[in-house]
Amino acid sequence: MREIDLHVHTTASDGTDTPAEVVRRAAELGLRAIAITDHDNVGGYAEAFSAGMETGVEVVPGIEVSTKYGVAVHILGYYVENLVPLLAEIVVDRDRRNEKVAALMASDGLPVTYKQMKQRFGDVIGRPHFGELLVEFGLARDMDDAFARFVGKGMRYYVPRTIIDIDSSVEAIIASGGVPVLAHPFQYKKNDEELRELIERCMDHGLRGIECRYSGYGPEQSAYLERLAEEYGLLKTGGSDYHGSHKAHIALGSGIGGNLEVPYEWLERLKAVAGQ
Ligand code: AMP
Ligand code: ZN
Ligand code: FE
Ligand code: FE
């Protein structure tokens, strides 16, 4: 039986299930706890908490912040209590970027207005929403194609966001009362030495954990990350990065092809560090 999933997106960012739907799905799957880790915002908490009360699923408040360290590095923050101005600025910047993308698509004759997108998708819009529209318009075959040809880096509808540096991001999560954790460490294409450098750099600013289990990571990869976490005295976390139909191959709680399993014990340690 799968126990927990500490990396989940909802409609509060670019997932396709509402916070309540995600929690109910977790209950159906028999999960004990899930963390809501939407990009750059905490808008999903209230709904998720009440669904948690209804279903008995423990809901962990989290966030996923995109940061810059050569490549884009994601930092998860657990038990954040408030958004410090730095994090609020990221939301504003995302909005500015999205306005530009929508205007660019409109200038190509596509029936897109940012106002309508917000009405349909909510306040926090990401590239997967633009991808969904491109699929609907018949310009892209599917989400991967939309990223490969339109919204991925360097493509016509790619507009960069101003991403804050990794040091400030880790510090902002601490300042908001949260526990910072390095997300999906293999996504950054670093070798052992470079990954250690990244971890040590983040630790200098308060990093407390590493996401050791993640959709698509095999047993050797996870074991390596768990050894690193132990060596550095960091927490181990794990989660699927579930996005609903925006990443249809990833299942809540069990990842890709059932490869994911995260023990509740890891959450207990995380809670102790968070003072929960
Ligand atoms: P944004 O933060 O709006 O720039 O969009 C980045 C987000 O797009 C990432 O956090 C992922 O959730 C999502 N993403 C990136 N590549 C893909 C892909 N090939 N298919 C679906 N979603 C993707
Ligand atoms: Zn996402
Ligand atoms: Fe991420
Ligand atoms: Fe994520």
Side-chain angles (χ1 to χ4, degrees):
M1 174 69 86
R2 300 291 188 291
E3 291 194 305
I4 63 172
D5 188 335
L6 297 179
H7 191 155
V8 176
H9 295 269
T10 76
T11 49
S13 65
D14 55 1
T16 55
D17 290 2
T18 64
E21 282 165 352
V22 161
V23 173
R24 285 189 207 115
R25 192 184 288 271
E28 281 160 23
L29 293 168
L31 296 177
R32 285 177 69 183
I34 61 167
I36 304 296
T37 55
D38 278 303
H39 297 288
D40 308 335
N41 89 99
V42 300
Y45 292 177
E47 189 185 312
F49 283 140
S50 50
M53 301 278 267
E54 261 167 45
T55 56
V57 173
E58 182 175 346
V59 172
V60 176
I63 190 167
E64 183 174 26
V65 182
S66 310
T67 78
K68 198 163 51 188
Y69 182 71
V71 293
V73 170
H74 291 175
I75 304 288
L76 294 158
Y78 293 104
Y79 297 102
V80 288
E81 270 154 19
N82 60 308
L83 279 185
V84 298
L86 187 59
L87 294 179
E89 172 54 32
I90 303 176
V91 177
V92 173
D93 179 68
R94 173 181 283 283
D95 223 34
R96 274 197 294 259
R97 188 277 311 259
N98 291 342
E99 287 267 19
K100 287 183 192 158
V101 177
L104 199 57
M105 286 170 72
S107 75
D108 283 347
L110 297 170
V112 178
T113 72
Y114 191 41
K115 200 173 155 204
Q116 278 170 354
M117 285 186 76
K118 285 198 140 182
Q119 280 162 359
R120 173 166 168 194
F121 297 122
D123 273 343
V124 180
I125 288 178
R127 281 184 282 159
H129 296 111
F130 291 102
E132 188 177 331
L133 292 183
L134 289 161
V135 172
E136 271 178 24
F137 298 151
L139 270 92
R141 281 188 307 279
D142 54 26
M143 189 63 81
D144 278 343
D145 187 40
F147 268 83
R149 294 196 297 131
F150 294 101
V151 295
K153 199 167 178 181
M155 299 299 128
R156 169 128 187 99
Y157 298 132
Y158 177 77
V159 176
R161 295 195 281 135
T162 309
I163 293 178
I164 59 175
D165 64 83
I166 198 158
D167 305 348
S168 325
S169 307
V170 173
E171 285 168 10
I173 288 168
I174 304 248
S176 68
V179 179
V181 171
L182 179 65
H184 40 63
F186 287 121
Q187 250 69 340
Y188 317 127
K189 300 187 170 61
K190 296 194 176 301
N191 62 28
D192 177 71
E193 191 188 336
E194 292 161 343
L195 184 55
R196 284 170 182 277
E197 213 175 283
L198 170 63
I199 291 167
E200 288 165 23
R201 166 91 180 241
C202 292
M203 284 180 75
D204 286 343
H205 297 273
L207 188 80
R208 299 302 300 269
I210 298 179
E211 189 172 51
C212 297
R213 297 192 190 169
Y214 183 75
S215 290
Y217 290 4
E220 296 83 18
Q221 287 180 302
S222 299
Y224 163 73
L225 293 173
E226 287 174 41
R227 277 198 306 276
L228 274 182
E230 280 160 21
E231 184 185 321
Y232 285 108
L234 293 168
L235 293 164
K236 301 173 215 173
T237 74
S240 64
D241 214 354
Y242 178 73
H243 278 72
S245 63
H246 277 163
K247 288 188 185 174
H249 59 298
I250 295 176
L252 185 67
S254 58
I256 299 171
N259 82 321
L260 186 78
E261 193 160 355
V262 186
Y264 187 83
E265 193 204 342
W266 288 8
L267 176 56
E268 278 174 341
R269 294 195 193 154
L270 171 60
K271 287 203 283 192
V273 166
Q276 297 287 316

